[in-house]
Amino acid sequence: LSAKIITLKDMAGLVNPLRAASIISALKHNVKVPVDFHTHCTPGYGLASALMAIINGVDILDTNIWWFGGGSAAPSIELIKIFCDKLGVEVDANMEAVAKIRHELKNARKALADFDLNKDKWPKDFDEAFAAMPKEIDAEFDRAIEAAKNNKEEELLDACHKIEAYFGL
């Protein structure tokens, strides 16, 4: 019908990982236009559902930059990039520019601290946390990928929640 793109817009973050996999794979099988997935992390599905969307061939995945990612927002591009690197999926984003923006957004978040419901529990600084990331957390990325590939939703969610906990999301 001349659509240029189809976007699955999950503003409440209620599309769980297995549902994301089934919807994205069905769309990719039945349409010829790019498929975009937009979800939030509010109920705890966001990162895992985003990974399932990637594995099932989503063309575009909406993300946020670190200081405004996760929580009630979309997953952070930084964590998505780690997954994509491990999967051999190209991320069409200038990650050097993302890093520069990330540093500026920290200042923006500080300036908005009076209005921040989580002002007392911000995530760790991504650069520092990533540089010091223990092998056990790196292994959780691999475990999440394997669980996603095998449709093991509970294991996938557990691995993603451990990743988010390490980074303070």
Side-chain angles (χ1 to χ4, degrees):
L1 298 174
S2 301
K4 303 244 188 262
I5 189 171
I6 293 176
T7 298
L8 173 59
K9 193 93 167 162
D10 177 29
M11 296 300 291
L14 297 176
V15 174
N16 64 27
L18 291 178
R19 178 63 69 197
S22 68
I23 294 170
I24 298 299
S25 63
L27 286 170
K28 291 301 296 173
H29 181 73
N30 290 294
V31 301
K32 296 191 179 0
V33 297
V35 175
D36 171 30
F37 182 48
H38 178 104
T39 192
H40 289 239
C41 300
T42 313
Y45 294 142
L47 186 60
S49 292
L51 176 57
M52 282 297 248
I54 294 165
I55 287 172
N56 284 277
V58 76
D59 298 291
I60 301 165
L61 179 67
D62 297 348
T63 61
N64 278 344
I65 295 178
W66 191 251
W67 294 106
F68 290 89
S72 61
S76 75
I77 191 171
E78 293 85 353
L79 296 183
I80 296 300
K81 176 77 165 91
I82 295 170
F83 278 124
C84 287
D85 286 348
K86 287 178 172 286
L87 288 164
V89 172
E90 182 181 345
V91 173
D92 189 15
N94 179 335
M95 294 307 290
E96 289 179 18
V98 167
K100 288 178 185 176
I101 295 167
R102 179 173 59 247
H103 295 290
E104 292 302 316
L105 286 179
K106 184 176 184 179
N107 294 330
R109 188 158 178 191
K110 284 180 183 177
L112 296 169
D114 289 345
F115 309 100
D116 191 334
L117 295 176
N118 292 307
K119 63 182 156 221
D120 297 323
K121 52 180 211 176
W122 282 8
K124 296 177 185 175
D125 181 274
F126 176 76
D127 296 316
E128 294 169 11
F130 181 69
M133 187 168 67
K135 290 179 184 175
E136 303 83 49
I137 298 303
D138 185 58
E140 292 296 338
F141 283 93
D142 298 326
R143 187 168 76 98
I145 290 168
E146 285 308 306
K149 287 180 177 179
N150 292 300
N151 293 323
K152 294 182 177 179
E153 188 173 64
E154 291 302 317
E155 187 175 336
L156 168 59
L157 288 167
D158 182 62
C160 286
H161 292 160
K162 286 180 179 171
I163 292 165
E164 290 168 323
Y166 167 75
F167 285 102
L169 296 170

